[in-house]
């Protein structure tokens, strides 16, 4: 494993690298995680690949000092820092700058937004239980409207009422116990709530159009692999199945014997296979 810091404007982007192969894969982690969660893939089967696993703003060792929004242009520029680094290393072999994209959960949403912005350089897309396959009214309301942002800000600074509200939703079966645990794990402590607010606000613009992504995947004939856990109660596996089906002959859907967390040692073989099958 290697670790880099890429300077960007006033910020510093942390990136973990696994593998030394010529095939470049840019990876994005899930919410509250960091790039080194992809370390479970660091094994012999990874030899053809170089995985560049970026810590998103307000995650891991990335230091974000460029405002309260990480925009599409920022994402493209960070992508360019990574691809330029890889191209310099493999200049002798004439690397063409094309790469694969892989994203888990929140990172799947980011990967799709990057693909939507510049599909021509992506030769494969691997989505692991991705967020962003369907739109969320509440995410849009809380992060993109004045009223919603005020309520969100208040909730993260005075969480007692919010936790009571979530428990009431569970009692009325409007939210399942898995989602309740997933949310409460991130809002029980003041520092965690502060991070939730900044992460949601900063990444709010990186929302793909699923229909546009599917259209461009078909247009550019990009092999697309969608993996979900059979027991995922955070994001419905059926959304991944229908997405892969919409990509037609280039899409494939795989269901693994786990829940929402796919980055587990027992799943490493299936994930690496998705990079090159």
């Amino acid at each position: 494993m290697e670790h880099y810091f890429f300077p960007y404007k006033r910020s510093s982007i942390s990136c973990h690298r696994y593998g030394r192969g010529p095939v470049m894969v840019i990876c994005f982690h899930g919410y509250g995680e960091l790039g080194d969660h992809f370390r479970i893939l660091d094994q012999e089967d990874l030899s053809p690949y170089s995985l560049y696993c970026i810590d998103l703003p307000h995650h891991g060792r990335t230091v974000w000092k460029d405002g309260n929004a990480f925009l599409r242009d920022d994402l493209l520029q960070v992508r360019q820092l990574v691809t330029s680094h890889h191209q310099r290393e493999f200049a002798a072999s004439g690397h063409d700058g094309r790469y694969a994209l892989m994203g888990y959960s929140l990172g799947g949403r980011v990967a799709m937004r990057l693909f939507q912005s510049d599909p021509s350089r992506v030769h494969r897309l691997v989505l692991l239980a991705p967020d962003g396959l369907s739109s969320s009214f509440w995410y849009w309301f809380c992060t993109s409207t004045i009223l919603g942002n005020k309520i969100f800000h208040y909730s993260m600074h005075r969480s007692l009422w919010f936790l009571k509200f979530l428990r009431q939703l569970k009692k009325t079966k409007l939210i399942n116990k898995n989602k309740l645990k997933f949310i409460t794990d991130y809002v029980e402590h003041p520092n965690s709530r502060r991070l939730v607010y900044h992460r949601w606000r900063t990444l709010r613009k990186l929302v793909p159009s699923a229909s546009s992504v599917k259209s461009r995947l078909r247009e550019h004939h990009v092999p697309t692999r969608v993996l979900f856990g059979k027991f995922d109660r955070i994001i419905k596996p059926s959304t991944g199945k229908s997405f892969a089906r919409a990509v037609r002959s280039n899409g494939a859907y795989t269901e693994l014997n786990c829940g929402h967390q796919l980055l587990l040692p027992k799943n490493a073989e299936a994930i690496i296979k998705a990079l090159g099958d």
Side-chain angles (χ1 to χ4, degrees):
M1 192 277 280
E2 297 178 31
H3 182 263
Y4 312 113
F5 284 107
F6 293 111
Y8 176 67
K9 295 182 179 178
R10 296 181 300 150
S11 301
S12 177
I13 307 299
S14 167
C15 181
H16 310 258
R17 180 180 179 178
Y18 300 98
R20 300 286 306 173
V23 181
M24 176 172 34
V25 186
I26 300 177
C27 306
F28 298 102
H29 58 78
Y31 179 86
E33 299 184 351
L34 55 156
D36 84 346
H37 277 68
F38 288 96
R39 66 185 178 276
I40 60 115
L41 305 178
D42 191 13
Q43 51 188 267
E44 188 176 340
D45 291 345
L46 195 66
S47 57
Y49 306 102
S50 286
L51 270 55
Y52 292 90
C53 310
I54 295 166
D55 289 346
L56 292 167
H58 303 296
H59 288 79
R61 296 166 69 182
T62 284
V63 179
W64 182 253
K65 295 182 177 180
D66 288 286
N68 64 359
F70 185 66
L71 303 173
R72 185 201 68 159
D73 287 347
D74 297 316
L75 182 60
L76 288 169
Q77 289 298 319
V78 170
R79 181 278 313 266
Q80 191 59 40
L81 292 172
V82 174
T83 56
S84 295
H85 174 90
H86 190 76
Q87 282 182 278
R88 285 194 298 271
E89 183 172 327
F90 288 91
S93 60
H95 196 283
D96 61 3
R98 284 166 58 78
Y99 56 90
L101 276 172
M102 179 160 60
Y104 163 65
S105 196
L106 166 66
R109 192 182 93 195
V110 176
M112 285 191 287
R113 189 65 186 92
L114 178 53
F115 172 79
Q116 182 182 341
S117 300
D118 186 9
S120 62
R121 293 178 62 185
V122 179
H123 65 76
R124 179 172 288 255
L125 178 63
V126 178
L127 299 173
L128 310 175
D131 184 19
L133 295 181
S134 57
S135 59
S136 169
F137 168 79
W138 290 112
Y139 182 80
W140 169 82
F141 177 72
C142 289
T143 61
S144 301
T145 69
I146 294 173
L147 176 61
N149 188 247
K150 285 182 177 179
I151 294 172
F152 183 36
H153 184 273
Y154 180 86
S155 300
M156 292 301 100
H157 287 79
R158 295 171 177 81
S159 66
L160 187 59
W161 82 270
F162 181 61
L163 291 170
K164 287 181 178 178
F165 174 65
L166 288 175
R167 293 186 184 109
Q168 282 300 121
L169 289 180
K170 180 179 178 293
K171 286 181 181 179
T172 56
K173 298 185 178 180
L174 290 174
I175 185 172
N176 64 51
K177 66 177 182 180
N178 302 81
K179 284 188 178 179
L180 177 64
K181 184 179 185 306
F182 184 79
I183 296 169
T184 54
D185 282 349
Y186 291 113
V187 299
E188 281 188 319
H189 304 290
N191 190 53
S192 297
R193 293 195 297 273
R194 180 185 62 81
L195 284 172
V196 167
Y197 181 76
H198 288 301
R199 287 166 176 169
W200 273 39
R201 285 279 294 162
T202 303
L203 298 171
R204 71 189 185 278
K205 297 292 186 180
L206 297 185
V207 179
S209 163
S211 60
S212 176
V213 171
K214 287 183 282 192
S215 173
R216 294 179 188 195
L217 285 168
R218 292 191 296 264
E219 178 187 350
H220 292 270
H221 306 287
V222 177
T224 304
R225 302 295 178 259
V226 183
L227 288 75
F228 264 85
K230 185 186 301 184
F231 308 107
D232 195 331
R233 297 295 179 266
I234 305 301
I235 301 174
K236 292 180 180 178
S238 58
T239 62
K241 194 176 295 186
S242 61
F243 183 88
R245 191 183 304 120
V247 182
R248 299 174 186 163
S249 60
N250 293 312
Y253 174 83
T254 301
E255 212 161 74
L256 303 176
N257 191 34
C258 61
H260 183 64
Q261 179 54 266
L262 265 65
L263 293 176
L264 301 170
K266 68 177 183 177
N267 295 332
E269 183 179 351
I271 295 171
I272 293 173
K273 181 181 177 183
L275 287 171
D277 62 347

